[in-house]
Amino acid sequence: MDQISKQILFSRDEIQKRVREIASQISKDYAGRELVVIGILKGAFIFMADLVRELSVPCKVDFVRVASYGAGSESSGKVVMTKDIETSIKGRDILIVEDIVDSGLTLQYLVNWLKERNPHSLKICVFLDKRKRRKVSFEADYAGFTIDDGFVVGYGLDFDEQFRFFPDVYIIEQ
Ligand code: XMP
Ligand code: MG
């Protein structure tokens, strides 16, 4: 992070507080049911780990891996599935967990992909929402924080595979 200047955007304490709030909302909404939580690798791994541990409803977990960004911060605009789920989701209540929604293309693709398997319900939980950057109309059911344009790292989010392990979220300027 030497040549890249960074500014803290959300501290680990703010994040923990917000994750607890979302988990409590989700637990209320799904009371008496069991969720299948599907995380999008790699970015969602930390958020998802924190989120499921705060839920008071039971859940199973699975992961998909989709590639929508090449190296660096520029979107290729093309979404490719590189690892599918291994759980049957037919008739199940699904919660997709994603690190950040930007253009909306990744989640739109994934929602269509999963809906073909006839889940009972499907909702989306994102840690960060870059609302103004949408290329397709798309609303998350649960969102941690809404942010303006700018590239963020930490708490699972990377710049060229760096900085995912930071416990706080930073905005970077190159
Ligand atoms: P779309 O445009 O498909 O993008 O909604 C979602 C994916 O883009 C990545 N992304 C970011 N990754 N910092 C990151 O580390 C960012 O500021 C950022 N903005 C978008 C991310 O992989 C997400 O899954
Ligand atoms: Mg991602």
Side-chain angles (χ1 to χ4, degrees):
M1 204 118 203
D2 294 346
Q3 311 91 323
I4 301 171
S5 79
K6 66 178 200 300
Q7 218 189 327
I8 198 155
L9 195 58
F10 302 113
S11 70
R12 63 197 79 184
D13 293 343
E14 286 173 89
I15 294 169
Q16 188 188 55
K17 183 168 171 277
R18 188 68 188 119
V19 170
R20 285 186 172 155
E21 287 168 2
I22 302 170
S24 139
Q25 185 61 53
I26 294 170
S27 300
K28 268 186 211 141
D29 294 350
Y30 289 91
R33 286 144 81 185
E34 186 194 58
L35 273 170
V36 178
V37 180
I38 299 177
I40 308 183
L41 295 169
K42 300 176 193 172
F45 83 113
I46 291 178
F47 176 47
M48 178 160 152
D50 283 350
L51 186 75
V52 296
R53 284 180 293 174
E54 296 291 343
L55 292 177
S56 53
V57 288
C59 69
K60 291 189 172 145
V61 299
D62 206 340
F63 295 93
V64 291
R65 173 111 171 91
V66 291
S68 60
Y69 269 57
S73 59
E74 278 307 302
S75 172
S76 66
K78 211 178 121 195
V79 185
V80 189
M81 160 105 29
T82 54
K83 186 226 168 288
D84 200 353
I85 48 167
E86 292 155 27
T87 312
S88 166
I89 59 165
K90 191 171 180 218
R92 305 298 311 266
D93 292 311
I94 306 306
L95 184 69
I96 301 177
V97 176
E98 171 64 315
D99 54 359
I100 186 164
V101 53
D102 186 345
S103 69
L105 289 166
T106 304
L107 280 165
Q108 188 188 54
Y109 170 89
L110 196 66
V111 165
N112 291 335
W113 178 277
L114 295 174
K115 275 191 173 165
E116 283 188 14
R117 294 173 190 187
N118 300 311
H120 173 251
S121 71
L122 194 157
K123 283 192 181 182
I124 291 135
C125 177
V126 298
F127 173 57
L128 299 175
D129 188 350
K130 277 187 185 171
R131 220 167 238 285
K132 291 182 192 152
R133 301 240 321 158
R134 289 296 196 285
K135 287 186 185 150
V136 290
S137 85
F138 183 86
E139 281 288 327
D141 299 284
Y142 308 97
F145 303 97
T146 297
I147 61 169
D148 289 330
D149 202 2
F151 205 78
V152 292
V153 297
Y155 199 65
L157 292 138
D158 72 304
F159 173 71
D160 221 354
E161 290 304 323
Q162 302 176 86
F163 321 129
R164 284 195 201 277
F165 61 93
F166 286 171
D168 311 284
V169 169
Y170 296 83
I171 185 147
I172 61 172
E173 284 145 33
Q174 299 158 65

